[in-house]
């Protein structure tokens, strides 16, 4: 915490200057407008759903206001061609058996449980799987005005979206269209106007990509097709199976579970917990608070600079309890992971030793599927590269004037090489691993040439993930980047959820970070620790304002995922170091709530509960390019009708009185952090945004001297 406090008068001047935000004068509480259409905290409840079968073999899913009509299985986007249909009861619900041409069969089990339903599917007497199979396909959607789509992995895009509304338009001499289709992975939600939510997910993702799609079938009428006609909305959910051969001409796929809840965030988090339990997610690892080299030094980082950085950490007083120092992409030609370049010693063991001798975890960046055309690996083992059907290597990326290719994860020798790389790094002393470009290991078997064409891309990726986890050990911290989400549950401790950020506020960088961290918070510390990427505090090599730096730092800190930076601490001001200390996370993973998720489209709000203090931290960020002026109700944010409110930060706190509503004015990219207490007790001077008592922590770990 700060060695000296700013005076109260100076702090008030900072408020007036708009550092982070400005507060509108509080009039009579009765004069303030209602903040949002949110009804206040709603106790989460699971709802009931039921299956209804029709004589023609179709079926409905009825779930309150949300209804999926005339559902049927589809293969590769088309309804199955049925010769005979058999319907009846099953031990847990209803069963439909479809006899297809060629004496093959599709069997559906429509099951009912307490709090959910599920749909299971089996294929028999088929030599090969379809490419895409949807047990619930061509479902006509009723009672839905929004949907939640989850991106396949890092960068999304994920979020709650309105069902597009067709508009009248004169297309003139062109054939215009207003058709749309959106894919979602891992979890999907359909939302009613009353916020009833129907969430879909498989609980096992180790064999196939589970995908859902919501789409429309628009029609036009009138001269020049200018008027929208009847428009139907459809939904399907199933598995990408990649035409793999079926052993014994039979396969039973994982069930797809369907959960109905009365609030979107809680419903998706409920189904995420079920996935987490089934796949034994690593959700109890100590929250990562670390430094990485990339955003300060990029590929030019050297062994000498590492020692300078470590020396800077040694000189900090009081100490900062970082856990890990992670070396990023800088030490070799990509692919030749065990052969260092001229900036590093002969092996990376010396670097690991420099780090762990100072009491930190030693971290290393590896991209196991990436190989540079200039590497020895690429030249020595051309048969290890993924190729197209004509036998040509498939170029994945051009980076730093080099062509990059992907290793074939199904090749036994590639698997042995990857095992040797991670085994060697473990022997060197590395206990923190950041693996990048894991998506390159997820290549559909359908249209590429590789060693094993009898497995899906998911199965091959999972095989490699098992190898890596075994080699690094159960106690190592594993951070994944540029990765698909679903197949990595149970393997990794942390996951990058947003696109790369830079020291500049752009829609594709910082904008994407806010979008994805907000919409992926429901599985933070459920599947793993979400990593929103690095925090910038420094003044040099930074195109962002102090207010923007502060908004990003506080947002990352309050969410409860990983907290990391690349800044050289020796260049930071005392105030910047105080802000970094203020972000120190709890050892035990704890997540912020997103109370206005699905209600507010403008701005981001996150709330952190401090049980022992009987208080909450409330962060409001304007991540848009326009100023806003909004009123928030305490009941919506904390569940309490009134709270004692303090303007809060690492500098000091200032009482604003007891309130039921608060009006906030924020300029673009500004933020405000509030402390809301049940009693008129100000936050402790050493309380971090995560709830850590910093002075107590430092004293306990002998870090105050």
């Amino acid at each position: 915490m700060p060695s000296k406090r700013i005076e109260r008068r100076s702090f008030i001047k900072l408020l007036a200057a708009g550092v982070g935000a400005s507060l509108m004068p509080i009039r009579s509480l009765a004069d303030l407008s209602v903040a949002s259409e949110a009804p206040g905290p709603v106790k989460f409840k699971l709802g009931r759903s039921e299956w209804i079968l029709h004589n023609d073999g179709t079926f409905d899913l009825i779930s309150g206001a949300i209804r999926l009509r005339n559902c049927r299985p589809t293969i590769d986007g088309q309804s199955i061609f049925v010769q005979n249909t058999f319907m009846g009861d099953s031990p847990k619900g209803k069963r439909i058996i479809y006899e297809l041409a060629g004496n093959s069969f599709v069997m559906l089990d429509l099951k009912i449980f307490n709090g959910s339903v599920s749909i299971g599917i089996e294929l028999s007497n088929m030599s090969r799987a379809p490419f895409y199979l949807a047990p619930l396909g061509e479902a006509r959607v009723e009672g839905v005005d929004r949907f939640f789509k989850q991106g396949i992995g890092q960068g999304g895009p994920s979020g709650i979206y309105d069902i597009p509304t067709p508009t009248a338009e004169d297309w003139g001499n062109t054939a215009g269209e207003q058709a749309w289709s959106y894919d979602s992975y891992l979890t999907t939600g359909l939302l009613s106007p009353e916020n009833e939510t129907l969430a879909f997910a498989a609980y096992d993702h180790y064999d196939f990509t589970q995908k859902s799609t919501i789409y429309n079938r628009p029609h036009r009428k009138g001269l020049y097709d200018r008027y929208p006609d009847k428009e139907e909305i459809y939904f399907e959910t199933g598995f990408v199976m990649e035409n793999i051969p079926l052993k014994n001409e039979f396969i039973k796929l994982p069930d797809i579970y369907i959960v109905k809840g009365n609030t979107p965030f809680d419903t998706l988090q409920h189904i995420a917990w079920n996935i987490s339990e089934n796949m034994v997610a690593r959700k109890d690892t100590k929250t990562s608070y670390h430094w990485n080299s990339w955003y300060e030094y990029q590929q030019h980082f050297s062994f000498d600079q590492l020692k300078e950085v470590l020396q800077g950490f040694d000189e900090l007083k009081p100490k900062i309890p970082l856990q890990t120092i992670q070396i990023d992409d800088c030490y070799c030609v990509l692919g030749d992971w065990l052969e260092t370049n001229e900036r590093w010693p002969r092996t990376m063991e010396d670097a690991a030793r420099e780090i762990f001798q100072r009491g930190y975890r030693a971290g290393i960046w590896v991209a196991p599927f990436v190989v540079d055309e200039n590497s020895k690996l690429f030249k020595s083992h051309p048969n290890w590269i993924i190729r197209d059907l004509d036998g040509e290597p498939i170029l994945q990326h051009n980076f730093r004037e080099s062509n990059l290719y992907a290793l074939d994860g199904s090749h036994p020798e590639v698997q042995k090489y990857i095992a040797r790389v991670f085994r060697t790094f473990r022997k060197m002393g590395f206990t923190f691993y950041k693996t990048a470009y894991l998506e390159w290991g997820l290549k559909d078997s359908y249209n590429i040439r590789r060693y094993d064409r009898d497995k899906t891309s998911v199965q091959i990726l999972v095989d490699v993930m098992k190898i890596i986890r075994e080699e690094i050990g159960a106690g190592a911290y594993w951070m994944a980047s540029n990765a698909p989400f679903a197949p990595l549950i149970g393997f990794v401790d942390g996951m990058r959820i947003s696109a790369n950020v830079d020291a500049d506020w752009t829609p594709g960088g910082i904008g994407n970070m806010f979008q994805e961290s907000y919409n992926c918070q429901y599985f933070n510390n459920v599947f793993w620790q979400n990593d929103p990427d690095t925090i910038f505090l420094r003044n040099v090599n930074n195109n962002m304002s102090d207010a923007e730096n502060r908004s990003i730092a506080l947002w990352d800190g309050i969410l409860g995922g990983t907290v990391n930076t690349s800044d050289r601490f020796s260049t930071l001001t005392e105030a910047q170091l105080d802000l970094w200390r203020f972000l120190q996370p709890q050892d035990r993973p704890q997540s912020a709530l997103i109370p206005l998720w699905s209600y507010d489209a403008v701005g981001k709000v996150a709330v952190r509960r401090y049980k022992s203090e009987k208080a909450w931290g409330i962060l409001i960020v304007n991540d848009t390019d326009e100023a806003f002026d909004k009123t928030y109700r305490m009941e919506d944010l904390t569940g309490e009708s009134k709270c004692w409110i303090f303007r809060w930060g690492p500098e000091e706190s200032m009482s604003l009185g007891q309130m039921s509503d608060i009006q906030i004015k924020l300029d673009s990219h500004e933020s405000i952090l509030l402390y809301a207490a049940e009693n008129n007790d100000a936050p402790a001077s050493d309380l971090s945004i995560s709830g850590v008592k910093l002075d107590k922590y430092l004293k306990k770990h002998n870090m105050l001297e």
Side-chain angles (χ1 to χ4, degrees), residues 444-457:
D444 284 349
S445 301
Y446 181 69
N447 56 5
I448 62 172
R449 180 182 295 180
R450 63 178 169 204
Y451 184 87
D452 189 342
R453 292 180 57 84
D454 291 344
K455 289 186 175 182
T456 68
S457 56

Side-chain angles (χ1 to χ4, degrees), residues 430-550:
F430 289 100
T431 57
F432 182 106
Y433 299 86
K434 182 176 180 181
T435 55
Y437 297 102
L438 297 185
E439 182 192 12
W440 291 20
L442 193 71
K443 304 294 184 184
D444 284 349
S445 301
Y446 181 69
N447 56 5
I448 62 172
R449 180 182 295 180
R450 63 178 169 204
Y451 184 87
D452 189 342
R453 292 180 57 84
D454 291 344
K455 289 186 175 182
T456 68
S457 56
V458 175
Q459 291 167 334
I460 292 167
L461 178 63
V462 167
D463 286 345
V464 177
M465 298 302 99
K466 290 177 181 177
I467 290 169
I468 294 174
R469 175 48 78 181
E470 181 178 356
E471 295 298 343
I472 65 177
Y477 190 104
W478 182 357
M479 172 80 69
S481 180
N482 307 99
F485 290 159
L488 270 68
I489 300 171
F491 294 109
V492 303
D493 304 278
M495 174 67 76
R496 273 282 303 281
I497 43 86
S498 62
N500 291 347
V501 301
D502 293 307
D504 195 3
W505 195 304
T506 62
I510 298 298
N512 181 263
M513 183 277 289
F514 275 102
Q515 164 85 2
E516 295 306 308
S517 59
Y518 187 70
N519 291 303
C520 294
Q521 182 67 4
Y522 72 95
F523 62 66
N524 186 23
N525 297 317
V526 177
F527 296 153
W528 42 57
Q529 298 166 24
N530 285 357
D531 175 27
D533 211 2
T534 199
I535 293 167
F536 299 97
L537 302 174
R538 62 183 187 252
N539 294 321
V540 297
N541 300 323
N542 190 346
N543 296 320
M544 291 187 289
S545 67
D546 289 343
E548 289 174 329
N549 291 336
R550 185 183 182 93

Side-chain angles (χ1 to χ4, degrees), residues 40 46 125 146 150 161 184 202 214 217 243 310 321 341 385 402 450 469 483 487 489 523 526 542 608:
L46 292 172
N125 205 29
R146 289 160 295 155
Q150 177 66 61
Y161 299 87
S184 178
I214 185 167
R217 287 180 181 167
N243 293 130
L310 292 171
N341 58 36
I385 308 301
S402 290
R450 63 178 169 204
R469 175 48 78 181
I489 300 171
F523 62 66
V526 177
N542 190 346
R608 192 72 177 262

Side-chain angles (χ1 to χ4, degrees), residues 198-218:
L198 205 59
F200 299 77
Y203 292 173
D204 185 324
H205 295 270
Y206 291 148
D207 294 299
F208 308 102
T209 297
Q210 199 274 310
K211 181 176 75 170
S212 300
T213 305
I214 185 167
Y215 59 99
N216 73 335
R217 287 180 181 167

Side-chain angles (χ1 to χ4, degrees), residues 51-55 58-60 87-88 94-96 110:
W51 300 106
I52 297 178
L53 275 58
H54 303 300
N55 291 333
T58 63
F59 54 94
D60 296 346
M87 293 184 290
K94 304 291 184 180
R95 177 169 290 169
I96 309 175
L110 307 177

